[in-house]
Amino acid sequence: MKIAICDDCRQDALHLKTLLNGKHDTVFYSNTKQLLTEVKEEGKHYDLYLIDIYMQPNDMNGIELAEELRKKEEESALCFISSSDDFYREAYDLYAVQYLLKPVQQEELDRLLEQVSRRMEKELERSLQFRWRGHVGRISYGKILFVTSREHTVFIHCKDGQVQECVGKLSEIAAKICGEVFLRCHQSFIVNMYCVNSMNGNELSVSGNSIPVSRRYLADVKRRYQEILFEEME
């Protein structure tokens, strides 16, 4: 598990390091700016963020840091560490998995790590693995708008505007993900039906993109589109 600890108190950071006992890939940050820069601009990713709420007066606090991280790291686990329980509500609003009071106890940290580990296992089951230029990665199903292919390259279009290229065949991806959420709508397209804004004849509108629907798939796509409309009306 990759863990980022952001705490401006060296003593508290060393205490966490002792509790983790070298079992995880852990990086320590004493200020929020460095962490945000590495995540937002350098593409660093962590499975778990352990964030101290009270930082130096000239730095953003842990809640503000978490708000910024959530814009980039939607799936990562956040845990706040504090000497006070004043920010429980804010932590809840940011979908924090836990809120630990200092000094953190071994049993509490172990429970947190076990919880995050189980969560990661479930996310693996709901994500699409890709390979590109020797790199292997995963994209959560919930982030995907549609998938298309051209020649021998597959393009995964995501909600945040990212387009991930990968090696493979669209038919192979269809076999993995198509069902009630994703449907094959064309020889070159798979679409997340819950991201469809409208359907006009043999064309779908998905976040400003026009996705063709071929005759072969038209009946199934139309049926599923109408089912989702009724779900949203209930």
Side-chain angles (χ1 to χ4, degrees):
M1 187 185 304
K2 297 183 68 175
I3 301 174
I5 297 175
C6 191
D7 195 327
D8 60 355
C9 177
R10 179 175 174 79
Q11 182 177 351
D12 290 339
L14 289 174
H15 174 63
L16 283 174
K17 181 179 180 179
T18 300
L19 296 183
L20 289 167
N21 197 27
K23 296 179 181 179
H24 301 275
D25 182 2
T26 305
V27 179
F28 296 90
Y29 297 89
S30 60
N31 65 81
T32 61
K33 184 177 180 181
Q34 182 186 357
L35 175 54
L36 275 180
T37 298
E38 293 188 7
V39 170
K40 287 190 167 185
E41 299 179 14
E42 300 177 19
K44 288 284 185 69
H45 163 77
Y46 296 98
D47 303 305
L48 170 63
Y49 292 87
L50 297 172
I51 302 172
D52 182 23
I53 290 180
Y54 294 104
M55 303 294 288
Q56 293 291 340
N58 60 344
D59 201 356
M60 66 172 63
N61 64 40
I63 297 295
E64 293 168 331
L65 170 63
E67 289 173 345
E68 290 299 312
L69 288 173
R70 269 287 175 250
K71 297 175 183 178
K72 180 72 175 178
E73 296 280 67
E74 296 179 5
E75 307 299 330
S76 296
L78 298 177
C79 174
F80 292 106
I81 299 174
S82 177
S83 56
S84 163
D85 59 3
D86 292 341
F87 292 91
Y88 271 125
R89 177 63 196 182
E90 289 85 347
Y92 177 81
D93 290 341
L94 286 163
Y95 303 104
V97 295
Q98 191 56 273
Y99 190 116
L100 302 179
L101 292 176
K102 293 183 177 183
V104 177
Q105 303 299 310
Q106 185 72 64
E107 290 184 3
E108 294 177 329
L109 185 61
D110 288 344
R111 282 197 296 269
L112 168 66
L113 295 174
E114 183 179 352
Q115 179 184 357
V116 175
S117 180
R118 289 198 304 267
R119 172 175 166 168
M120 288 172 62
E121 290 175 2
K122 291 180 180 179
E123 287 300 323
L124 283 177
E125 298 173 0
R126 299 194 296 265
S127 62
L128 179 62
Q129 180 175 298
F130 65 85
R131 294 178 180 272
W132 183 246
R133 295 179 178 174
H135 173 68
V136 177
R138 288 184 176 272
I139 298 178
S140 169
Y141 287 169
K143 293 184 177 181
I144 300 173
L145 288 173
F146 62 93
V147 184
T148 185
S149 65
R150 186 171 63 248
E151 296 178 349
H152 300 293
T153 304
V154 172
F155 302 87
I156 305 170
H157 294 253
C158 300
K159 294 177 180 179
D160 62 2
Q162 175 190 358
V163 180
Q164 176 62 57
E165 299 179 39
C166 64
V167 178
K169 298 179 180 178
L170 199 66
S171 58
E172 295 172 347
I173 292 179
K176 294 177 182 177
I177 71 174
C178 283
E180 294 299 302
V181 177
F182 292 94
L183 283 186
R184 186 82 175 260
C185 63
H186 188 276
Q187 182 179 350
S188 302
F189 286 88
I190 297 170
V191 65
N192 182 338
M193 292 300 295
Y194 282 92
C195 293
V196 174
N197 303 116
S198 63
M199 182 174 186
N200 185 14
N202 61 347
E203 187 175 273
L204 300 172
S205 175
V206 181
S207 293
N209 300 278
S210 296
I211 309 296
V213 182
S214 64
R215 183 180 301 177
R216 176 182 178 183
Y217 301 103
L218 183 60
D220 285 341
V221 171
K222 186 176 182 179
R223 173 190 57 79
R224 187 62 186 133
Y225 175 69
Q226 292 175 339
E227 287 176 350
I228 292 173
L229 284 181
F230 283 122
E231 288 177 11
E232 294 174 348
M233 292 173 60
E234 291 178 352

